[in-house]
Amino acid sequence: MGSDGSRDSGGLRVRRVYDPPEPRADGTRVLVDRLWPRGVSRERAAVDLWLKDITPSGELRGWYHQDRSGARYDGFVERYRAELGDTAHTEAVATLLRLLDGDGPVTLVTSVKEIDASHVPVLVGYLEHARAHRSGRG
């Protein structure tokens, strides 16, 4: 993770919505949270696209958050990966893949405090795998 809280994975960045935007480095900013971040105006968030449909289902989120110890994370990862492949997520995944195939970086923006224990790294891994598979590298 960078000193500003950002992470970069081959043209795909992850940043918290509460950090100031970096227009040149961020490229297209995509909010990947189900709910709008508390206390953040649309101007301050500076998101270009809000993909609510890329997030885990309400049922999965509820199941995962019932146990705050983190013991359910592996199960959450497995179940969210499966959800990303279902028809409810198809268009949102395709939208992100098109953005990643375009010019410039894409930044996934989130309000979660503990990014490593959230849906975001699962989403990043899923997108990287999908891109590699499409290009014949995976």
Side-chain angles (χ1 to χ4, degrees), residues 1 13 26 32 37 74 79 98 122 125 138:
M1 181 175 341
R13 297 182 70 186
D26 287 350
V32 292
D74 290 341
R79 290 172 66 180
R98 280 192 301 272
V122 182

Side-chain angles (χ1 to χ4, degrees), residues 17 31 36-37 39-48 50 52:
V17 71
L31 181 63
W36 188 263
V40 178
S41 69
R42 300 216 182 240
E43 294 76 28
R44 182 172 160 222
V47 297
D48 299 297
W50 182 10
K52 297 178 202 176

